[in-house]
Amino acid sequence: MALDPLGAVSLQSIMALSGRLALAALRLWGPGGGRRPISLSVGAPGSFGCGGNSEKVKLSLKDVAELLRTRACRRVVVMVGAGISTPSGIPDFRSPGSGLYSNLQQYDIPYPEAIFELGFFFHNPKPFFTLAKELYPGRYRPNVTHYFLRLLHDKELLLRLYTQNIDGLERASGIPASKLVEAHGSFASATCTVCRRSFPGEDFRADVMADRVPCCPVCTGVVKPDIVFFGEPLPARFLLHVADFSLADLLLILGTSLEVEPFASLSEAVPKSVPRLLINRDLVGPFAYSPRSTDVAQLGDVVQSVERLVDLLGWTQELQDLIQRETGKLDGQDR
Ligand code: CNA
């Protein structure tokens, strides 16, 4: 597939796609093959988009799979949240009943957000470390969704994966750090809240597992894992979004309520001509309140949706082989 300097699909590439997809793609990128968004008449009654025109084209999951399979889209930016890790056994925040916000009695905090507030942490760091013990890398394993994203990387289709998760499962699936933006930090490193010395997160594993608040070996200040609390700046790598989202030719959004800023607004940062696929239990963020004609929403369980996409891509066997290989490696590490 030929790409223009901005990474857009050329007319020739688009015409190689057949039938409805070719028509949809032509409308997406315009007859010159450039990134110039042209007005779309996409959207059937009850679908997303502007609708109201007799020429109606609506992208489907199958169309997105075709864009990926044919490599018409090869600069995929992915945004994920806690919903991709619930199948690994880690509760999200907001799912009613199972989410952490519904089950905070054990943490002894006045209100849910307190667990990630610096003011409360300095007053009482124990609730955060109770949660940290739960989420520390090594306890949970990546699931089908993480390995699907790893496969995107292996196929050189992944431009960058932006995650809000702090469970480290993207790293554990084998996606290299260079492809990741851990927007809300990780347990991989930690910083003394007093002298600001930085340490590998691993240095404090024993403390966290033994329910001890970790202290700086130099100044005895409390050491906080480099998880981004409310009001703290995001890691410098987050700035990569400026280039990534303008280069992206497909945006995948999985397992997030898109309620936490500034992360949530990234979903609006791709040009309007770029298709966005939401895989989530419910319709969230701009997919609900300002949908674009090029949006696709696959609602339901994330694993089932990903498996459906993988099937449409013809990657099922490859994904199974990858999972088997990687699971074997993790089994080996556990021994
Ligand atoms: P959230 O606000 O809890 O939203 C999760 C979304 O995922 C919701 O829309 C759910 O409906 C959806 N969802 C949950 N399970 C599934 C499933 N099996 N299939 C399909 N959809 C599902 O979480 P966000 O990530 O949007 O919020 C951002 C917070 C959550 C970040 O600051 C994270 O650090 C924080 N968080 C992270 C983890 C983790 O690292 N695993 C766990 C809990 C919270």
Side-chain angles (χ1 to χ4, degrees):
M1 287 290 163
L3 295 178
D4 75 9
L6 282 175
V9 184
S10 73
L11 179 64
Q12 193 189 18
S13 311
I14 292 168
M15 292 310 288
L17 302 173
S18 60
R20 181 163 162 269
L21 174 63
L23 181 63
L26 185 61
R27 287 186 177 145
L28 280 177
W29 284 288
R35 295 292 291 256
R36 180 173 54 92
I38 55 170
S39 67
L40 276 165
S41 303
V42 180
S47 69
F48 318 116
C50 37
N53 188 301
S54 55
E55 275 189 287
K56 284 171 182 163
V57 178
K58 180 178 178 309
L59 290 185
S60 65
L61 189 69
K62 200 170 167 201
D63 295 328
V64 173
E66 200 61 5
L67 288 166
L68 275 174
R69 199 187 58 75
T70 59
R71 303 180 79 82
C73 290
R74 56 203 293 182
R75 294 183 186 194
V76 183
V77 170
V78 183
M79 296 170 63
V80 299
I84 73 159
S85 292
T86 57
S88 295
I90 305 173
D92 65 4
F93 270 176
R94 291 176 181 81
S95 284
S98 61
L100 278 170
Y101 281 175
S102 312
N103 295 286
L104 285 167
Q105 309 83 350
Q106 51 171 323
Y107 292 103
D108 189 24
I109 48 176
Y111 49 92
E113 291 81 4
I115 205 153
F116 291 120
E117 278 178 5
L118 277 180
F120 186 80
F121 179 83
F122 288 126
H123 162 72
N124 179 11
K126 285 208 161 149
F128 170 75
F129 282 109
T130 307
L131 180 66
K133 182 177 175 183
E134 182 72 16
L135 290 179
Y136 232 73
R139 195 170 180 142
Y140 295 98
R141 287 192 170 188
N143 63 62
V144 168
T145 306
H146 299 93
Y147 286 121
F148 161 65
L149 300 175
R150 158 77 190 274
L151 198 53
L152 272 185
H153 163 66
D154 289 353
K155 289 179 177 290
E156 298 182 350
L157 294 168
L158 180 67
L159 181 59
R160 205 87 60 193
L161 167 53
Y162 286 74
T163 181
Q164 296 168 97
N165 293 346
I166 51 178
D167 54 34
L169 291 184
E170 297 87 3
R171 289 182 190 219
S173 75
I175 299 170
S178 62
K179 287 285 168 179
L180 287 177
V181 172
E182 292 167 319
H184 294 169
S186 79
F187 289 100
S189 56
T191 303
C192 172
T193 55
V194 177
C195 72
R196 306 304 301 166
R197 278 184 178 80
S198 184
F199 301 95
E202 214 28 55
D203 288 6
F204 303 101
R205 170 185 288 277
D207 284 332
V208 174
M209 293 306 145
D211 300 315
R212 285 190 300 266
V213 172
C215 288
C216 176
V218 183
C219 78
T220 72
V222 172
V223 174
K224 176 180 152 301
D226 290 338
I227 302 297
V228 179
F229 278 29
F230 291 118
E232 285 193 302
L234 269 55
R237 281 182 68 74
F238 187 71
L239 283 175
L240 285 172
H241 76 79
V242 177
D244 287 347
F245 281 71
S246 51
L247 282 174
D249 52 21
L250 177 65
L251 178 62
L252 302 186
I253 303 175
L254 301 97
T256 169
S257 62
L258 289 179
E259 291 211 10
V260 178
E261 296 291 357
F263 191 94
S265 290
L266 290 183
S267 59
E268 308 256 43
V270 286
K272 285 207 162 61
S273 57
V274 171
R276 303 184 299 188
L277 167 62
L278 172 73
I279 292 182
N280 202 45
R281 198 169 273 146
D282 14 70
L283 204 57
V284 292
F287 289 83
Y289 61 73
S290 59
R292 294 178 180 176
S293 48
T294 44
D295 286 348
V296 181
Q298 180 69 29
L299 303 185
D301 177 69
V302 66
V303 167
Q304 279 175 16
S305 299
V306 165
E307 283 175 345
R308 175 132 189 263
L309 177 59
V310 168
D311 181 43
L312 289 167
L313 284 161
W315 296 354
T316 301
Q317 188 58 51
E318 235 174 311
L319 183 61
Q320 279 171 5
D321 292 347
L322 173 67
I323 293 175
Q324 201 171 9
R325 260 195 330 271
E326 292 299 312
T327 309
K329 280 189 205 163
L330 291 176
D331 286 343
Q333 284 169 17
D334 285 352
R335 268 187 220 120

